[in-house]
Amino acid sequence: MNSSVNRALIFQGGGSLGAYEAGAYKAIKEKLSQNSRAKGRGNEPVFHIIAGTSTGAMNAAILVSYVKENKTWEGSDERLVGFGNICLHNHLLKKYLTLRIIGILGTY
């Protein structure tokens, strides 16, 4: 089936923006997939082009690798959100440890 719609997804760079993009992607993918299924085009790609810069490039790479590996868009949003959660957890842990070290060193 030839698609009459071509979509591009471009992720921006910028640290915490990557986590926002993962959540936004999840909402957009769910809506677009739902619309495609309703029109009988459920087998079409959700996006034809995916690109990004900095953190957005990491999001794009995770997304494309998931779709290529699994040959489906289903679950791609969970993978991207999961990656965002890992990054957020690591960021918070790093901040906590930094503040803890500063607090310990500050007492001497």
Side-chain angles (χ1 to χ4, degrees):
M1 170 185 284
N2 287 335
S3 176
S4 60
V5 175
N6 291 299
R7 295 184 193 101
L9 177 64
I10 312 299
F11 289 113
Q12 255 179 251
S16 61
L17 188 57
Y20 167 80
E21 289 173 341
Y25 166 74
K26 180 175 180 165
I28 291 168
K29 187 216 121 229
E30 287 173 0
K31 185 66 173 170
L32 291 175
S33 295
Q34 182 182 38
N35 288 346
S36 292
R37 282 191 301 273
K39 294 177 181 178
R41 294 186 281 184
N43 293 336
E44 291 184 8
V46 178
F47 294 98
H48 295 82
I49 298 170
I50 300 174
T53 184
S54 189
T55 300
M58 291 177 13
N59 280 344
I62 288 163
L63 185 56
V64 169
S65 66
Y66 180 89
V67 173
K68 293 286 280 179
E69 179 182 334
N70 295 287
K71 297 179 181 23
T72 182
W73 291 86
E74 294 304 316
S76 63
D77 47 350
E78 286 88 5
R79 173 68 60 89
L80 198 56
V81 169
F83 174 72
N85 288 338
I86 290 169
C87 290
L88 178 61
H89 179 265
N90 287 343
H91 174 74
L92 293 175
L93 180 61
K94 196 183 309 181
K95 275 205 176 276
Y96 169 78
L97 292 175
T98 301
L99 291 174
R100 187 83 174 125
I101 290 169
I102 290 171
I104 291 169
L105 294 177
T107 61
Y108 291 103

